[in-house]
Amino acid sequence: MKTYIFDLDHTVIDSSHRQITLADGSLDLNNWIENCTREKIMADKLLPLANHWRALALGSRNEIVVCTARVMGKHDHAFLAAHGLDADAVLSRAMGDRSGDADLKERLLRQYASDTGRSWARFCLSAVMYDDNESVVKMAYLNNIDAYNAISLNKKMAA
């Protein structure tokens, strides 16, 4: 069994219409939270990797895991369901957690591996990860997870 791990924003979902960055390039979190309304979330668009996710989900031996730095709310789950993006697990940031994305995702994935009865090493060897954040891709690589930069993959798939 292969485990396919998908980030959401800028990987599977284009939510850029809800995103403002600060002068230092970081996310304006207060603005992001204000824009997490049902109407605005449902206006998000799918990126080409969404089709890859759905194709992989058809394989009976594939496990699909969402691992996102978002705080997932009911509207986020409704968006995934409305677009046929089914996952075996959704791992997300807890409200108030300010961990860096790579640290957060490694912690979430380690816990998931443990919760599903797999050693970290075994989990990593069977995992493939798609993420737009270079620090997350590097973390995956350092843990022997096959990882792909979602920005370049989406560009290739859209061409």
Side-chain angles (χ1 to χ4, degrees):
M1 174 177 71
K2 279 283 199 191
T3 300
Y4 293 92
I5 305 162
F6 289 91
D7 175 44
L8 293 180
D9 300 299
H10 308 293
T11 298
V12 175
I13 299 171
D14 178 359
S15 56
S16 59
H17 68 102
R18 301 190 283 131
Q19 184 176 349
I20 294 176
T21 52
L22 300 172
D24 67 0
S26 64
L27 176 69
D28 182 338
L29 190 56
N30 291 332
N31 178 76
W32 176 260
I33 292 168
E34 289 172 18
N35 284 298
C36 286
T37 64
R38 178 173 176 75
E39 178 183 346
K40 290 186 179 182
I41 289 170
M42 291 304 177
D44 289 352
K45 304 283 186 240
L46 294 180
L47 294 169
L49 271 169
N51 291 327
H52 183 56
W53 170 343
R54 287 190 287 240
L56 290 169
L58 295 176
S60 62
R61 299 205 31 95
N62 294 327
E63 177 182 38
I64 305 294
V65 175
V66 170
C67 190
T68 180
R70 270 189 199 193
V71 173
M72 291 289 288
K74 65 182 180 182
H75 304 310
D76 299 299
H77 290 282
F79 179 90
L80 295 177
H83 290 89
L85 295 171
D86 300 319
D88 296 290
V90 176
L91 313 177
S92 63
R93 183 183 299 278
M95 187 66 77
D97 184 338
R98 301 284 186 193
S99 302
D101 289 3
D103 291 338
L104 170 75
K105 291 181 180 187
E106 182 174 351
R107 186 175 71 246
L108 290 170
L109 290 169
R110 282 181 180 273
Q111 186 62 54
Y112 180 72
S114 176
D115 291 348
T116 57
R118 291 174 273 186
S119 71
W120 179 239
R122 181 174 162 235
F123 177 82
C124 291
L125 290 175
S126 69
V128 178
M129 188 169 197
Y130 303 95
D131 205 292
D132 67 299
N133 185 319
E134 280 299 323
S135 69
V136 174
V137 172
K138 182 178 179 182
M139 173 280 296
Y141 173 78
L142 292 172
N143 282 286
N144 295 315
I145 296 172
D146 287 336
Y148 298 93
N149 179 300
I151 302 291
S152 57
L153 270 180
N154 277 316
K155 283 180 184 175
K156 286 179 188 175
M157 293 175 152

